[in-house]
Amino acid sequence: MLHLTYLIILLPLVGFAVQVLGGRRLGDPMAGWVATFFIGASFLVSIGVYIDLLTVQAPVRTFTQDLWTWIPVGSLQVHASLFVDPLSMTMVLFVTGVSAVIHLYSIGYMKGDRDYPKFFLYMNLFVASMLILVLGSNMLVTFVGWEGVGACSYWLISFWFTRETAASAGKKAFVYNRIGDTGFLLAIFLTFYRVHSLEYSTIFANIDKIGSGYITAICILLLAGVVGKSAQIPLFPWLADAMEGPTPVSALIHAATMVTAGVYLLCRINPLLHASPDAALTVAIVGAATAFVAATIACAQPDIKKVLAYSTVSQLGYMFLAIGCGAYVAAIFLMLAHAFFKGLLFLGAGSVIHGLHDEQDLKRMGNLRRYMPVTFITFAIGWLTIAAVPPLSGFWAKGSVLENAWAAHPALWAVGIVTAALTAYYMSRLTGLAFWGQNRWSNPVAIDADHDMPDAHHATGAIPEPHESGWIMTVPLFILAFFAAVAGLMATSNVHFSLSHWVDPVFGGTLYDDHLSTAAIWTLGTIDAVIAVAGVFIGLRLWMNRAERPALETGFLRRSWYINELYDTVLGRPSERLAAFSATVIELKVIDGGVNGVAAVVGRSAQLIRGTQTGYVRNYVLGIALGVTLILAFMLTRLWWS
C-alpha cells in the first residue's frame, strides 16, 4: 500500500475534477455524496498505507515516493515527491478522517444552497491541498499545499460573498496569510542559499553547515509564516472573521486542516529548532501569549462561533508552547485531540444555528437541551473535553503540554494554567447560555441592544421553536464525540500502542525530556484537574440562569483588546492615506506629470524647429554654407593652437 500513497492526494483531486465537470448536473444532494465518497476513499487508502508503514522496521519507518522531477535547474533539483513517516501519517489520518465526517455533515447543513456543488468543489480541493502540504518531501512541495489551503480558505470564507461581511472576511484572511507567506518564501530562499537543496532530509543532514545565525534566521522566518497560517500573535485577527463562512468550513479550517499546518511545519523542522534555542523560546513565548490573549477575548464574545474561533487560536497557542519547549509529541497529541473536540464543537454549534434558523447570538438562545437533546449530549462531551475535565482526552493532552512547560519554562507554565482556567470558564459560559436558562430565542429582538459593540448574526424577528437536526448531521456528532472522549487512550495505553511510541523516532535527540518525578507529575495533574473543574463550576454558576453580566463582558474584551482598531489606526488608515496621496500626487503629478512634461517639451521643441523647415532651397544652401564655414573655422582654430 505504501506505493499507493499518491492516491491519498489523487482521490480528493478527482472529486474536485468531478465537481468542476459535472457538479451542476449532479445537484443537491448527489454532489455532496460524491465529494464525501472521494474523501472517504482517501481515508481508507490512508489506513492501508498506515498499516503497511507499521510493517517497516522501527525506528526507521519512512518511505519516499518520487513522482517526477519538477524543477531541474542547475543545482536546484526539486522533485514532486511524497514523504511518509509517523508524523505525516498521523496528520494524513486525522485530516482525511475528520474531513470525511465534516463532508458528511455538510450534505445536510448546506441543503438548499444555490451554490451547493461549488461548496463541495472547494472542500475537496481544500483537503487535497492540505494533504500535499503534509506529504511533501521538500519545502517547495509543502509551499504548494500551503498556498493551496490559503486560496481555498479565501473562497470558502467568502463563500456567501453577497454579504459584505463575508467578502471582507475572505479578503482579510487572504491578506494576513500573504504577509506570513512572505516569511516562508524568504526562509526557502535562505535555506537553499546555505544548503543548495530544499529536501527536508538533506537540510537536516547538513545542519552543521548552515551556521547558527542562519538557522535562527530560517526558524524565525518560518515562524512568521506559521503565525499567519495558524493565527498567532500578531497575525491572528483574521481567524475570528473567518466565521463568516458556512459552519462546516469553520470546522474544516479550525479542526482538521489549515490552522494545524503551522503546527505541523514547526514539528517537521524540529532539528532546526533544536539547533536554535532562541528561536524555540520565541515560539514558546508567542504561543503562551496568544493562548492567554485569545482566551480572555473568548470570555466575552456574544457569537457562538466567535467564541469557538478564539478558542481555536488559544488552543493553537498551547501547541506552539509545547513545540517551543521541545515537547513535540505533546503538541501532536493536543493537535489530534483538538481535531476531534473542536470539530465536534463547531459542528454542534452549526446544529444549534441550524435549529435556531440561523441565529448565532448566545444571548438569544437558552434551554436548548430540551429541544435538541442529541446536539446537547454530544456538544457537552466536546465542552468537557476542551475544558480538560478528566478522564477525557483534553485532560491528558493539555496536561502533557503544561507538564513540559513547567519543566522547561515555569513562567510560561503559569500563563498556561491561567489560560486553562479561562478555557473551562468561557466554554461553560457558552454552554450555559446556549443550553440552560430561559427560552430567550422567543424574544423578537436580541437582549444585547448595544449596537456599538460587535454583535453576532441574528435571525429575523422572533425565532420559531428550535428543532433537532436530521441524522445526517447528528451521526457525525456522535462519531466525533466518541473519538474526543477516548483519544486519551493514546496517552494512557500500553507503550507499544501509544502515540509517543509511534512518533518519538521522528524527533530522536531533539525531543525534550522533562525529567519530572512521579510526585511532580501527579501534583501537576491534580492542579490541572482542579483548575478544570473549578472553571466549569464557576462558568455554569454565573451563566446558567443569567444572560447579562456587563462587568464580565467589557468592551475591551468584546472588541478583542482593540487589536483590529490598533492595526487600523497604525497600518490601515496611514496606508489608505498613502494610497490616496500616491493616486492624487505621485500618480497624477509625478508619474503622469513627468510623462506629460517630456511630451510637452518634445512638442514645444518640434514647434520651434519646425520654423527652420521653410521648403526654400536658398535657405537650405545658406544653412549648408554656414555649417561649412563653422567647420572650417573650427579646424583652423585647432591648427593655430597646435
Side-chain angles (χ1 to χ4, degrees), residues 284-316:
I285 292 172
V286 168
T290 305
F292 173 75
V293 170
T296 60
I297 296 171
C299 291
Q301 295 303 304
D303 189 312
I304 187 172
K305 287 175 66 177
K306 285 198 173 182
V307 174
L308 297 178
Y310 283 111
S311 171
T312 297
V313 175
S314 183
Q315 297 300 302
L316 289 166

Side-chain angles (χ1 to χ4, degrees), residues 560-606:
S560 309
W561 286 39
Y562 293 100
I563 291 175
N564 281 302
E565 287 80 357
L566 174 64
Y567 288 174
D568 186 57
T569 301
V570 175
L571 299 173
R573 298 301 176 184
S575 297
E576 187 177 357
R577 288 193 291 271
L578 177 61
F581 175 79
S582 299
T584 57
V585 178
I586 303 297
E587 176 72 20
L588 294 179
K589 297 183 179 180
V590 177
I591 298 176
D592 287 353
V595 173
N596 294 335
V598 170
V601 169
V602 171
R604 182 61 178 165
S605 301

Side-chain angles (χ1 to χ4, degrees), residues 174-185:
F174 192 84
V175 170
Y176 271 76
N177 276 270
R178 295 298 74 71
I179 294 171
D181 293 351
T182 302
F184 195 165
L185 272 175

Side-chain angles (χ1 to χ4, degrees), residues 3-83:
H3 292 283
L4 297 178
T5 299
Y6 69 94
L7 287 178
I8 297 174
I9 299 172
L10 183 61
L11 285 166
L13 287 176
V14 171
F16 164 74
V18 169
Q19 299 294 336
V20 169
L21 298 175
R24 290 291 182 187
R25 286 188 290 273
L26 290 171
D28 177 356
M30 187 54 65
W33 282 108
V34 170
T36 305
F37 166 78
F38 282 106
I39 301 300
S42 179
F43 175 59
L44 293 177
V45 173
S46 301
I47 293 175
V49 173
Y50 164 71
I51 294 172
D52 206 8
L53 189 62
L54 286 173
T55 64
V56 179
Q57 185 176 3
V60 187
R61 286 196 172 109
T62 62
F63 172 75
T64 301
Q65 186 171 39
D66 196 354
L67 301 177
W68 65 82
T69 300
W70 179 18
I71 304 177
V73 181
S75 60
L76 178 60
Q77 299 289 320
V78 180
H79 296 271
S81 53
L82 309 179
F83 181 69

Side-chain angles (χ1 to χ4, degrees), residues 263-419:
V263 178
Y264 164 77
L265 183 61
L266 289 178
C267 289
R268 175 58 70 200
I269 64 161
N270 66 89
L272 294 175
L273 283 175
H274 182 70
S276 177
D278 291 339
L281 179 59
T282 303
V283 172
I285 292 172
V286 168
T290 305
F292 173 75
V293 170
T296 60
I297 296 171
C299 291
Q301 295 303 304
D303 189 312
I304 187 172
K305 287 175 66 177
K306 285 198 173 182
V307 174
L308 297 178
Y310 283 111
S311 171
T312 297
V313 175
S314 183
Q315 297 300 302
L316 289 166
Y318 268 107
M319 299 174 208
F320 275 61
L321 172 60
I323 291 169
C325 295
Y328 301 104
V329 176
I332 295 168
F333 183 21
L334 180 56
M335 179 169 57
L336 190 59
H338 180 265
F340 296 132
F341 65 67
K342 187 51 64 67
L344 169 61
L345 290 170
F346 266 111
L347 297 188
S351 181
V352 168
I353 294 167
H354 185 266
L356 281 173
H357 306 275
D358 298 326
E359 179 59 69
Q360 294 182 205
D361 192 344
L362 287 165
K363 304 304 180 69
R364 295 195 71 189
M365 298 181 185
N367 199 29
L368 294 181
R369 72 187 191 284
R370 175 182 172 187
Y371 302 92
M372 308 178 71
V374 174
T375 299
F376 168 66
I377 292 171
T378 53
F379 192 94
I381 293 173
W383 153 49
L384 295 175
T385 302
I386 191 175
V389 173
L392 300 173
S393 63
F395 170 75
W396 305 103
K398 196 171 293 183
S400 181
V401 173
L402 292 173
E403 175 185 312
N404 283 275
W406 168 262
H409 305 291
L412 297 182
W413 170 85
V415 177
I417 201 69
V418 171
T419 303

Side-chain angles (χ1 to χ4, degrees), residues 69-337:
T69 300
W70 179 18
I71 304 177
V73 181
S75 60
L76 178 60
Q77 299 289 320
V78 180
H79 296 271
S81 53
L82 309 179
F83 181 69
V84 180
D85 72 343
L87 174 58
S88 61
M89 204 63 243
T90 301
M91 293 290 296
V92 165
L93 284 170
F94 87 72
V95 166
T96 54
V98 176
S99 296
V101 173
I102 293 171
H103 272 70
L104 179 64
Y105 176 95
S106 302
I107 295 172
Y109 189 88
M110 297 301 293
K111 183 176 177 61
D113 192 278
R114 68 170 189 172
D115 290 321
Y116 187 89
K118 185 192 294 184
F119 175 82
F120 287 96
L121 178 154
Y122 292 152
M123 292 280 276
N124 270 202
L125 184 60
F126 203 145
V127 176
S129 298
M130 185 66 184
L131 293 171
I132 292 171
L133 190 157
V134 300
L135 285 171
S137 70
N138 58 70
M139 295 178 77
L140 204 55
V141 174
T142 297
F143 190 72
V144 170
W146 191 271
E147 291 303 292
V149 294
C152 291
S153 69
Y154 167 71
W155 293 324
L156 286 167
I157 291 169
S158 56
F159 184 75
W160 289 320
F161 58 87
T162 53
R163 290 198 322 225
E164 184 179 347
T165 52
S168 176
K171 289 184 287 186
K172 187 174 183 178
F174 192 84
V175 170
Y176 271 76
N177 276 270
R178 295 298 74 71
I179 294 171
D181 293 351
T182 302
F184 195 165
L185 272 175
L186 292 174
I188 291 175
F189 298 152
L190 187 57
T191 301
F192 182 76
Y193 169 70
R194 298 299 297 174
V195 185
H196 301 292
S197 175
L198 296 177
E199 293 291 330
Y200 290 118
S201 57
T202 305
I203 295 168
F204 301 152
N206 291 277
I207 284 182
D208 57 334
K209 299 178 182 178
I210 299 177
S212 59
Y214 284 104
I215 291 175
T216 299
I218 291 169
C219 290
I220 295 299
L221 288 170
L222 287 173
L223 177 61
V226 301
V227 298
K229 196 69 69 183
S230 293
Q232 298 293 285
I233 289 175
L235 299 179
F236 72 87
W238 71 267
L239 201 60
D241 288 5
M243 297 302 96
E244 292 293 336
T247 300
V249 172
S250 303
L252 192 66
I253 291 176
H254 289 245
T257 57
M258 183 172 172
V259 296
T260 60
V263 178
Y264 164 77
L265 183 61
L266 289 178
C267 289
R268 175 58 70 200
I269 64 161
N270 66 89
L272 294 175
L273 283 175
H274 182 70
S276 177
D278 291 339
L281 179 59
T282 303
V283 172
I285 292 172
V286 168
T290 305
F292 173 75
V293 170
T296 60
I297 296 171
C299 291
Q301 295 303 304
D303 189 312
I304 187 172
K305 287 175 66 177
K306 285 198 173 182
V307 174
L308 297 178
Y310 283 111
S311 171
T312 297
V313 175
S314 183
Q315 297 300 302
L316 289 166
Y318 268 107
M319 299 174 208
F320 275 61
L321 172 60
I323 291 169
C325 295
Y328 301 104
V329 176
I332 295 168
F333 183 21
L334 180 56
M335 179 169 57
L336 190 59

